């Protein structure tokens, strides 16, 4: 293998096997130096590049080497020309997008849960903070220059493209990816452009958003205005698809995604600063602020009661990952997490006997409204009967006067009629408007109090809560006893779906971001991923047509690409059901079994508590209920008597 000389050390090295190749050159192992590798350029670097590499090797501090594959020394050939450089060797690391994409995470990081993602996010922020602390700028931020290990540590790669400061000299970063480029730089030429740490902070925020929001790009969404809205255009126009002003900018986040506020108000506000117009004026928070925010988020995470491998911010009322999985049918975490088996011997009969032994609180007592009501002794009030008698008497006198008038057609008859009308008017019951209104208000208040007390009675004394809890325990017992049958049914289903599942696994090997599909570049690839379409198996015509910017032509291209791979699939009838599917099934059933057992074990105490609460509440609330009903009936009688 070819021999080179270390420029500063003056010693010779020999290259080992080729480890990888890119657009600029190739990376080789270094014989007798297992901790470093050599990058050899296909075209020898120019003088400016050599100056930059030399400055970087001079600036290779231990702190930088912990987070970046930084140039250590230049390599010269036999003629003294610089051909490349050495840098630390990285092992057992994967591209960051393999972690934040749910499908690739299932293979690359099967043990990862959300706590791990937040931990990695904080380490990414630490890497950026260190680069900025040394006066440098990453510049070409993208998910291809960041590797992550199984321990959650991260390393920046392709560091020779960074913007490096050496004294008064600035060696610019002359490349960039639009999907990670700040709005104020969109459309600008990168060659010779001096960037700032504030520009890096936009790219950092995009990386972190991908990580926390399951591989979604923050500017990939549905645009309600005319025309297409590709991601780079949305960035340039500050159309943050998850932001609080998304309605004003005509954007909406894709289906199956979580709201921005899921990670808490502080992190939501930080993303808002990073992606909003104020960020272009230098208001993007620095990497150290992200470290603090993510560490706070990590400390707040709690385990989901339904799926212990789900961890989510403790301030949320429910697990967001369960909702996303139910909506998308994609498992986000827990690919290789084994449910812990129950401890101790389980005697279901004993548990159920304890449940059945809890005393029933008995039927609900009759309500006062269901019994005849009698006026309490000592309570004075007007009689409605007296009011009716006076009304009848008044009408009778008036009628008698009318009859008298018709019998006596002289002056005496007229006077007799007038006198009878006067007597009728005097007998007729009369009540002032104010008094009648006061009685109406008293009745309304008594009715409201009765309804309030009645609701308290039903909540605290009704047997319904006890009956519903007992019914749920009966259902849990029946489901627990049926779990062996459920396992048989699921195994039969897996057996029946063997061909489809083999096809799915085969098609999942072909990722869109690694394919060459006509019309599908990095922006559209990111848009597809933001709608949950990452592999050939995800390609579905009607589903793709719903994605902004994807019409019949692009959909056809994707369908043809999928079809080409599908034609190469061969079903192997001798291949058994995938062990991974069986493990996942057993894990789900075991988690369900433990959940049902926990419910049943808590059943006696829960039922006993309900029974005791109901039994204690009835004598306590009975007088209050009776009093409220009596007050209502008295108010009603007084109102009707007026």
């Amino acid at each position: 293998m070819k021999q080179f000389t270390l420029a500063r050390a003056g010693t010779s090295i020999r290259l080992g096997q080729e480890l990888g190749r890119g657009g600029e050159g190739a990376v080789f192992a270094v014989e007798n130096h297992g901790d470093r590798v050599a990058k050899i350029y296909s075209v020898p670097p120019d003088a400016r590049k050599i100056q930059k590499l030399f400055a970087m090797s001079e600036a290779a501090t231990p702190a930088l080497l912990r987070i970046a594959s930084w140039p250590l020394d230049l390599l010269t050939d036999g003629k003294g020309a610089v051909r490349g450089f050495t840098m630390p060797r990285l092992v057992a690391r994967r591209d960051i997008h393999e972690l934040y994409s749910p499908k690739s995470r299932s293979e690359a990081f099967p043990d990862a849960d959300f706590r791990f993602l937040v931990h990695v996010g904080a380490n990414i922020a630490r890497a950026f903070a260190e680069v900025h602390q040394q006066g440098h700028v990453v510049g070409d931020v993208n998910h291809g220059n960041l590797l992550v290990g199984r321990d959650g540590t991260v390393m920046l790669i392709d560091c020779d493209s960074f913007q490096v400061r050496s004294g008064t000299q600035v060696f610019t970063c002359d490349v960039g990816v639009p999907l990670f480029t700040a709005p104020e730089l969109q459309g600008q030429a990168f060659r010779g452009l001096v960037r700032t740490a504030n520009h890096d902070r936009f790219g950092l925020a995009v990386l972190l958003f991908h990580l926390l929001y399951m591989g979604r790009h923050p500017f990939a969404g549905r645009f309600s205005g005319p025309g297409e809205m590709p991601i780079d255009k949305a960035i340039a126009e500050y159309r943050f698809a998850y932001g609080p002003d998304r309605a004003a900018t005509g954007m909406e986040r894709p289906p199956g995604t979580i709201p921005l506020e899921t990670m808490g108000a502080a992190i939501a506000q930080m993303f808002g600063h990073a992606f909003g117009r104020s960020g272009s004026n230098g208001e993007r928070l620095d990497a150290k602020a992200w470290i603090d925010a993510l560490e706070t988020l990590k400390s707040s995470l709690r385990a989901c009661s339904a799926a212990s491998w789900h961890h989510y911010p403790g301030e949320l009322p429910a697990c967001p990952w369960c909702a996303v999985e139910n909506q998308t049918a994609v498992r986000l975490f827990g690919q290789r997490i084994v449910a812990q088996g129950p401890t101790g011997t389980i005697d279901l009969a004993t548990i159920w006997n304890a449940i059945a032994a809890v005393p029933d609180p008995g039927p609900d007592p009759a309500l006062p409204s269901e019994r005849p009501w009698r006026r309490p002794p000592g309570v004075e009030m007007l009689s409605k009967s007296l009011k009716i008698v006076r009304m009848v008497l008044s009408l009778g006198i008036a009628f008698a006067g009318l009859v008298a008038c018709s019998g006596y057609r002289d002056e005496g008859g007229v006077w007799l009629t007038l006198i009878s009308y006067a007597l009728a008017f005097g007998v007729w019951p009369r009540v002032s408007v104010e008094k009648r209104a006061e009685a109406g208000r008293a009745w309304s208040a008594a009715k409201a109090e009765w309804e309030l007390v009645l609701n308290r009675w039903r909540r605290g004394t009704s047997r319904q809560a006890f009956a519903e809890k007992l019914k749920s325990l009966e259902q849990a017992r029946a489901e627990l006893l049926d779990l062996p049958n459920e396992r048989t049914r699921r195994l039969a289903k897996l057996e029946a779906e063997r061909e489809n599942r083999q096809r799915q696994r085969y098609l999942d090997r072909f990722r869109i971001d690694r394919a060459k599909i006509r019309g599908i570049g990095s922006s559209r690839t990111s848009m597809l991923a933001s709608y949950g379409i990452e592999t050939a198996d995800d390609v579905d015509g009607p589903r793709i047509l719903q994605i902004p910017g994807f019409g019949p032509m692009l959909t056809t291209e994707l369908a043809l690409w999928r079809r080409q791979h599908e034609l190469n699939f061969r079903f192997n009838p001798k291949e058994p059901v995938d062990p991974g599917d069986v493990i996942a099934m057993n894990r789900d059933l075991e988690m369900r079994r433990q959940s049902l057992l926990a419910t049943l074990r808590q059943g006696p105490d829960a039922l006993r508590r309900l029974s005791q609460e109901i039994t204690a509440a009835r004598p306590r609330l009975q007088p209050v209920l009776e009093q409220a009903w009596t007050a209502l009936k008295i108010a009603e009688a007084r109102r009707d008597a007026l």
Side-chain angles (χ1 to χ4, degrees):
M1 205 32 127
K2 199 162 184 179
Q3 184 169 309
F4 290 92
T5 301
L6 294 168
R8 284 197 301 162
T11 57
S12 297
I13 64 165
R14 292 184 63 84
L15 302 185
Q17 69 179 91
E18 182 177 319
L19 303 176
R21 183 170 290 272
E24 287 187 318
V27 175
F28 297 87
V30 178
E31 290 185 359
N32 302 320
H33 292 81
D35 60 343
R36 63 184 61 188
V37 294
K39 179 174 181 177
I40 305 299
Y41 292 104
S42 302
V43 177
D46 58 21
R48 183 68 175 172
K49 182 75 170 185
I50 293 172
Q51 280 185 293
K52 179 180 182 179
L53 293 173
F54 181 77
M56 293 185 75
S57 66
E58 290 287 320
T61 64
L64 274 175
L65 294 175
R66 279 195 295 271
I67 54 89
S69 187
W70 198 265
L72 296 170
D73 203 345
L74 277 60
L75 293 173
T76 60
D77 60 16
K79 298 179 181 180
V82 174
R83 296 298 308 275
F85 60 90
T86 58
M87 56 185 174
R89 181 169 189 169
L90 307 179
V91 294
R93 293 181 179 274
R94 309 294 289 263
D95 290 341
I96 186 66
H97 71 81
E98 295 187 74
L99 174 62
Y100 59 61
S101 168
K103 274 207 168 182
S104 57
R105 180 166 62 239
S106 67
E107 296 181 5
F109 295 91
D111 300 325
D113 57 21
F114 188 65
R115 294 173 300 181
F116 185 74
L117 268 61
V118 177
H119 172 65
V120 170
N123 284 340
I124 293 174
R126 288 186 177 93
F128 274 72
E130 187 57 44
V131 171
H132 295 165
Q133 177 70 26
Q134 300 292 334
H136 312 308
V137 174
V138 175
D140 181 24
V141 179
N142 66 83
H143 50 217
N145 61 11
L146 196 65
L147 301 180
V148 58
R150 292 292 179 90
D151 59 355
T153 57
V154 302
M155 290 291 287
L156 296 165
I157 61 173
D158 294 335
C159 300
D160 51 328
S161 70
F162 286 13
Q163 176 177 293
V164 176
R165 181 177 295 276
S166 178
T168 59
Q169 278 191 308
V170 176
F171 299 95
T172 59
C173 173
D174 296 336
V175 291
V177 175
L179 302 186
F180 292 82
T181 299
E184 61 271 23
L185 297 185
Q186 288 287 332
Q188 293 194 38
F190 294 124
R191 183 167 294 278
L193 177 67
V194 177
R195 306 190 215 188
T196 68
N198 192 53
H199 298 142
D200 264 6
R201 292 167 191 158
F202 178 86
L204 169 62
V206 174
L207 282 171
L208 296 177
F209 192 92
H210 274 95
L211 200 62
L212 299 180
Y213 291 79
M214 303 297 108
R216 316 294 181 150
H217 194 286
F219 289 84
R222 185 170 298 282
F223 178 53
S224 60
E228 289 190 28
M229 185 55 63
I231 296 176
D232 51 350
K233 183 180 179 184
I235 293 174
E237 297 177 0
Y238 300 94
R239 298 183 187 273
F240 178 25
Y242 296 71
D245 61 343
R246 61 186 181 277
T249 59
M251 297 294 287
E252 188 51 69
R253 58 189 174 90
T257 58
I258 56 176
L260 179 65
E261 299 76 19
T262 301
M263 299 303 146
I267 288 182
Q269 190 175 37
M270 291 177 72
F271 279 124
H273 282 305
F275 301 141
R277 293 183 182 275
S278 63
S280 299
N281 299 323
E283 293 189 16
R284 297 181 186 115
L285 296 176
D286 62 19
K288 292 181 179 178
W290 278 109
I291 297 170
D292 295 339
L294 292 169
E295 289 295 342
T296 300
L297 173 62
K298 187 169 70 171
S299 65
S300 78
L301 298 178
R302 64 176 177 178
C304 172
S305 58
S308 61
W309 54 89
H310 286 175
H311 296 83
Y312 63 95
E315 62 189 46
L316 295 180
C319 175
W321 312 130
C322 287
V324 172
E325 289 187 346
N326 290 336
Q327 185 176 355
T328 63
V330 174
R331 184 179 292 279
L332 300 178
F333 307 101
Q335 300 294 340
R336 207 168 67 195
I337 297 174
V338 179
Q340 295 296 321
T343 56
T345 303
I346 299 162
D347 187 346
L348 184 57
T350 300
I351 295 175
W352 190 253
N353 288 338
I355 291 173
V358 176
D360 192 298
D364 295 350
L367 296 173
S369 56
E370 298 171 348
R371 305 191 303 266
W373 182 77
R374 293 181 178 81
R375 177 173 59 87
V379 176
E380 297 293 336
M381 55 187 181
L382 295 175
S383 171
K384 185 176 180 180
S385 300
L386 178 61
K387 174 183 174 181
I388 294 173
V389 168
R390 292 184 65 179
M391 292 174 66
V392 171
L393 181 60
S394 176
L395 292 172
I397 293 172
F399 181 73
L402 185 62
V403 172
C405 180
S406 62
Y408 298 93
R409 300 183 180 277
D410 55 6
E411 184 178 347
V414 173
W415 280 104
L416 185 60
T417 299
L418 292 175
I419 291 171
S420 66
Y421 281 2
L423 288 172
F425 180 76
V427 174
W428 185 267
R430 294 185 302 280
V431 181
S432 67
V433 174
E434 293 79 5
K435 194 169 184 180
R436 195 181 300 279
E438 181 181 352
R441 287 193 296 270
W443 176 83
S444 296
K447 186 173 186 295
E449 179 64 18
W450 160 252
E451 291 175 350
L452 180 66
V453 173
L454 183 60
N455 285 334
R456 284 179 57 199
W457 171 265
R458 286 173 173 163
R459 288 196 309 269
T461 69
S462 175
R463 184 184 176 277
Q464 183 178 357
F466 182 90
E468 289 177 352
K469 181 62 179 177
L470 182 59
K471 183 178 179 181
S472 71
L473 292 172
E474 290 171 346
Q475 291 172 344
R477 176 173 175 259
E479 185 178 348
L480 183 63
L481 291 171
D482 190 55
L483 281 183
N485 297 328
E486 175 64 15
R487 186 176 188 278
T488 301
R489 290 190 292 268
R490 291 198 188 187
L491 281 174
K493 185 178 179 182
L494 289 176
E495 182 66 33
E497 296 175 346
R498 267 195 312 143
E499 182 172 355
N500 285 337
R501 289 179 176 271
Q502 281 187 30
R503 182 183 293 105
Q504 288 172 359
R505 288 193 297 273
Y506 176 79
L507 292 176
D508 268 338
R509 291 160 47 188
F510 304 100
R511 298 188 56 82
I512 296 173
D513 57 7
R514 297 172 187 164
K516 292 182 179 180
I517 307 171
R518 187 167 56 181
I520 308 296
S522 60
S523 180
R524 287 197 167 104
T525 297
S526 187
M527 182 69 80
L528 287 167
S530 292
Y531 279 77
I533 297 176
E534 303 178 55
T535 71
D537 183 58
D538 298 326
V539 173
D540 175 75
R543 186 177 166 196
I544 293 173
L545 285 171
Q546 299 300 314
I547 301 175
F550 286 83
M553 290 184 62
L554 290 177
T555 302
T556 300
E557 291 293 335
L558 284 162
L560 287 173
W561 172 73
R562 173 196 163 112
R563 184 59 181 161
Q564 289 169 359
H565 290 299
E566 199 168 18
L567 288 173
N568 294 325
F569 167 72
R570 298 291 181 271
F571 172 57
N572 182 3
K574 295 182 179 180
E575 182 180 321
V577 171
D578 182 38
D581 290 339
V582 177
I583 290 172
M585 177 199 67
N586 288 335
R587 178 197 55 208
D588 288 345
L589 290 174
E590 178 58 27
M591 290 298 297
R592 184 58 183 157
R593 188 175 81 94
Q594 291 186 38
S595 176
L596 292 169
L597 280 172
T599 299
L600 290 170
R601 285 186 177 121
Q602 296 163 7
D605 289 340
L607 276 178
R608 193 175 298 108
R609 183 175 63 254
L610 282 171
S611 181
Q612 291 172 349
E613 289 173 354
I614 292 170
T615 304
R618 285 173 176 175
R620 186 179 72 251
L621 292 179
Q622 185 78 37
V624 180
L625 188 71
E626 297 284 354
Q627 183 180 357
W629 177 247
T630 297
L632 175 61
K633 295 301 291 183
I634 291 173
E636 183 179 67
R638 286 174 175 170
R639 181 200 63 180
D640 294 344
L642 296 179

